[in-house]
């Protein structure tokens, strides 16, 4: 650490009134990281992560790599470069490998409610495979802690030739849908896939048990109906999508992230496995089982509806499935089940003849707008999909087992009902799936459902009466393509490569310009990426790259995020080009596998790279961690001299970073960077985002730890820290030992950086900034325009940020500089009626501020730079602010 001395008097003490800190920690207990014996010579519960960087495969079973508080020692693994390997499906059925057996966890949460443990799954599946040639099992990934993720397929046996034929037909449906619709053999013999998934929220257990019950019945029944079912379908079951959470009774994965909010970001191995499985299975129907909502709840969801879904192909079957499930569950008269009274909106014990169907029964607040959930993501692969919420919460110690028994019976009834519907309706559902792919390939204009055309949609009419064209789904104007420019028109080359890797992982087709091409007045260099929306997964491509819409006035409430676009939030420049009926964008070649290779110019003695994106910051921190002298230049570059060139070449290859030659004078003019130790007070978003940026020397702190350490002479966590990141709050009373300790630490080369009102209050309590922090409606979120009037973030400025909610700063003191300002909300949900002095007046207000007093520095973001590790552009802004504050 560089020692800078400055007088204590310049750091004034101001009382801090923010709420008490909730110490940052992951939800998995320490025991989750250390329980269990060795399996096949390796720890069964090791953290399945890899260092976040291009080209490193995810889901590798590692040994236990946890810190002393039980946190995984590494960030979530990245998307493998260029999309990585697809999921390999069996060459024939049955596929019955030997499954490794995991040890029972002594504190397994399933003991409380009597549901099946993850450790019991392998033995149970092994017994089923021994009994039946209809059952196949494959491991399709591993959880954060290394537990196997099982995919179970139940179908009539297939020889290799038959499986190859089924695979060819699946590809024909997606890539040549016109031919598929005319292929009589395909339509007669294609085994349409039905996919049932469960337990992505670890403390929502019973879908797993119900799936096992259904699998066993299908595997062993010898009636004509079952044999016919298995001749015409593959019934595919993901038994538990979050086995770590199942074991520890946590909703989230062991990274502390909700995998059912992760289908776009793909920060968790569990979500990556789901996406890979969706691509490989290409289900006709996908049902995902959750809980608990007091009464059985079966989608389709209410408004607003996602703009890129084909609702005329989805809603007729989705609504009919929900109605059939309702009828079958009501008829089952399951003892202990609950029902929905549609007249009063109450949940009752008597059989009313109804369960809850959000599309019919919930006017808002349970929507299918974002694609971050399992069912909504599956829609983009041509599935009819439904999220199922089971009724009873088995949390009570006296009723847990009884409630779980009811839920299991309900879930099994729902699964059988859904399977039966698809079996009887698969011909029309298959035609609709092929039609979705056909529209994408043809670049057909997207028509919204209106009162004029809804009558022509085949199927039952009951759902049509509920469609509100004003609020449900607006018209969508599709571009011909999105262009991700190369060269000087690209804000961050590394962020652009990350975005392309993500698109490829999602199965989106990406091409590259073979020559310089002029489009609508803009010249794009050769090598620029093109995402042509004339492709089967155009809905997924457009939802990832489009801005989205402002839905603030459409509904009174939203369920979760209302904007998410990586094109606007991941730091890359992305241009929308033309309309869907235009011709192709230049001469292109498909992008395949193979990571982008970095380079250092031959013969260079001094070389530098732009520190603009996440991979750039990782490269910078890697070099600093190796002890390489790196100088940070005034124009936002990192420069190395002759002694650092060997390390630079290694880093260039590792992160795909391209260096350029600079002069000795340019190198000498930069400030020497430091290998920083960052203390942080916050949650898993803060920790994982800092790790993703390459800040690997992290120390968790809290107000309580600092106060106790300062009072008792024990470590506070700040002793070796260069920067304190505040992601929540740091409530240290003025005059307390803890407050004085932080004051002294700031005097001895410390700095405060963070996000939100809590970080502002912390910085203000030491006189580093002054003013008022205001917070918007807590439900409001979205993509908001930003400008960069300050000097800290202006080298690689970004014009959008994410807020959930927005925090802005007013009445700033003279020592407080405005670094970012807000513009208008571009997409998302922030009702004017709830915030008369918020959304309408936030334009022009400070979205980030900095302060420098006597050499001590602070930087505070009002944008949600670390939200679920998603806004990667925000991550790079935070890293820039951290290095600035530490200088």
């Amino acid at each position: 650490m560089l020692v800078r001395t400055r007088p204590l008097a310049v750091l004034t003490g101001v009382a801090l009134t923010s709420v008490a800190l909730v110490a940052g920690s992951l939800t998995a207990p320490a025991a989750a990281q250390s329980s269990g014996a060795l399996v096949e010579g390796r720890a069964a519960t090791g953290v399945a992560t890899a260092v976040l960087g291009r080209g490193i495969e995810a889901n590798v079973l590692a040994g236990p790599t946890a810190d002393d508080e039980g946190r995984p020692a590494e960030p979530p693994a990245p998307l493998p470069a260029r999309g990585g390997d697809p999921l390999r499906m069996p060459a024939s059925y049955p596929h019955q490998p030997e499954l490794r057996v995991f040890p029972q966890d002594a504190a397994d949460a399933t003991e409380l409610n009597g549901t099946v443990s993850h450790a019991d799954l392998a033995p149970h599946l092994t017994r089923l495979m021994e009994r039946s040639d209809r059952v196949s099992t494959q491991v399709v990934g591993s959880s954060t802690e290394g537990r196997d993720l099982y995919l179970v397929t139940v179908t009539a046996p297939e020889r290799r030739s038959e499986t190859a034929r089924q695979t060819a037909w699946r590809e024909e449906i997606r890539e040549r849908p016109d031919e598929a619709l005319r292929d009589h053999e395909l339509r007669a013999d294609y085994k349409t896939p039905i996919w049932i998934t469960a337990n992505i929220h670890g403390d929502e257990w019973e879908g797993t048990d119900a799936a096992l019950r259904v699998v066993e019945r299908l595997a062993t029944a010898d009636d004509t109906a079952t044999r016919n079912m298995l001749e015409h379908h593959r019934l595919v079951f993901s038994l538990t999508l979050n086995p770590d959470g199942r074991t520890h009774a946590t909703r989230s994965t062991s990274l502390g992230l909700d995998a059912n909010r992760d289908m776009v970001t793909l920060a968790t191995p569990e979500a990556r496995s789901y996406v890979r499985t969706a691509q490989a299975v290409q289900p006709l129907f996908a049902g995902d089982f959750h809980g608990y909502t007091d009464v059985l709840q079966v989608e389709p969801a209410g408004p607003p509806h996602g703009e890129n879904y084909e609702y005329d192909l989805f809603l007729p079957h989705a609504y009919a499935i929900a109605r059939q499930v309702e009828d079958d569950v009501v008829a089952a008269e399951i003892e202990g089940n609950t029902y929905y009274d549609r007249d009063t909106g109450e949940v009752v014990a008597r059989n009313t003849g109804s369960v809850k169907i959000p599309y019919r029964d919930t006017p808002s607040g349970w929507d299918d707008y974002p694609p971050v959930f399992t069912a909504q993501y599956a829609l983009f692969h041509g599935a009819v999909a439904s999220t199922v919420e089971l009724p009873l919460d088995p949390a009570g110690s006296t009723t847990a087992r009884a409630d779980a028994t009811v839920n299991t019976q309900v879930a099994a009834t729902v699964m059988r009902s859904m399977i039966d519907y698809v079996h009887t309706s698969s011909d029309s559902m298959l035609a609709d799936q092929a039609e979705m792919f056909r529209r994408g390939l043809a670049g057909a204009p997207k028509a919204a459902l209106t009162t004029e055309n809804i009558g022509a949609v085949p199927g039952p009419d009951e759902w049509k009466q509920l469609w509100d064209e004003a609020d449900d789904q607006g018209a969508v104007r599709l571009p011909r393509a999105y262009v991700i420019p190369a060269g000087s028109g690209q804000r961050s080359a590394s962020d652009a490569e990350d975005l392309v890797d993500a698109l490829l992982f999602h199965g989106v087709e990406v091409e590259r310009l073979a020559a310089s091409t002029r489009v609508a007045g803009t010249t794009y260099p050769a090598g620029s990426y093109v995402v042509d929306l004339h492709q089967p997964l155009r809905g997924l491509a457009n939802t990832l790259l489009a801005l989205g819409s402002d839905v603030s006035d459409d509904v009174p409430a939203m369920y979760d995020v209302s904007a998410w676009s990586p094109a606007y939030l991941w730091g890359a420049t992305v241009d929308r080009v033309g309309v869907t009926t235009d011709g192709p964008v230049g001469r292109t070649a498909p992008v395949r596998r193979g990571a982008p290779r970095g380079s250092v110019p031959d013969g260079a003695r001094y070389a530098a790279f732009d520190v603009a994106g996440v991979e750039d910051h990782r490269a910078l921190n890697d070099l600093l961690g190796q002890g390489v002298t790196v100088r940070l230049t005034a124009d936002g570059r990192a420069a190395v001299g002759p002694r650092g060139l060997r390390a630079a070449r290694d880093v260039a290859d590792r992160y795909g970073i391209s260096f350029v030659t600079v002069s000795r004078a340019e190198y000498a003019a930069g400030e020497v960077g430091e290998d920083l130790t960052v203390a942080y007070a916050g949650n898993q978003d803060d920790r994982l985002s800092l790790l993703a940026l390459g800040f690997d020397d992290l120390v968790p702190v809290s107000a309580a730890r600092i106060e106790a350490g300062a009072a008792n002479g024990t470590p506070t966590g700040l002793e070796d820290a260069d920067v304190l990141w505040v992601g929540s709050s740091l409530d240290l009373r003025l005059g307390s030992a803890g407050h004085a300790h932080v004051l002294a630490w700031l005097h001895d080369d410390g700095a405060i950086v963070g996000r939100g009102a809590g970080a502002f209050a912390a910085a203000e309590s030491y006189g580093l900034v002054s003013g008022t922090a205001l917070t918007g409606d807590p439900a409001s979120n979205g993509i908001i325009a930003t400008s960069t009037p300050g000097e800290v973030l202006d080298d690689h400025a970004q014009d959008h940020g994410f807020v959930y909610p927005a925090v802005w700063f007013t009445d700033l003191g003279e020592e407080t500089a405005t670094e970012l300002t807000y513009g208008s909300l571009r997409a998302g949900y922030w009702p004017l009626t709830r915030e008369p002095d918020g959304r309408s007046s936030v334009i022009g207000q400070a979205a980030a501020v900095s302060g420098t007093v006597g050499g001590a520095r602070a930087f505070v973001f009002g944008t949600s730079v670390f939200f679920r590790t998603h806004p990667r552009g925000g991550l790079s802004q935070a890293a820039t602010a951290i290095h600035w504050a530490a200088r």
Side-chain angles (χ1 to χ4, degrees), residues 364-380:
S364 70
W366 194 274
D367 54 82
D368 61 11
Y369 194 63
V372 298
F373 313 118
T374 49
Q376 279 60 50
Y377 187 87
L379 289 174
F380 289 118

Side-chain angles (χ1 to χ4, degrees), residues 259-264 370-374 376 560-561 564 868:
N260 200 43
R261 305 291 186 274
D262 191 34
M263 294 304 149
V264 170
V372 298
F373 313 118
T374 49
Q376 279 60 50
D560 196 65
V561 291
W564 54 85
R868 298 178 185 168

Side-chain angles (χ1 to χ4, degrees), residues 21-36:
L21 172 72
V22 177
S25 64
L26 299 182
T27 55
Q33 302 294 338
S34 57
S35 61

Side-chain angles (χ1 to χ4, degrees), residues 494-512:
S494 66
D495 283 340
E497 295 292 346
D498 281 351
L499 178 57
V500 169
D501 286 347
L503 292 169
L504 292 170
F505 193 97
H506 280 290
V508 172
E509 296 172 2
V510 183
E511 300 167 301
R512 225 171 174 171

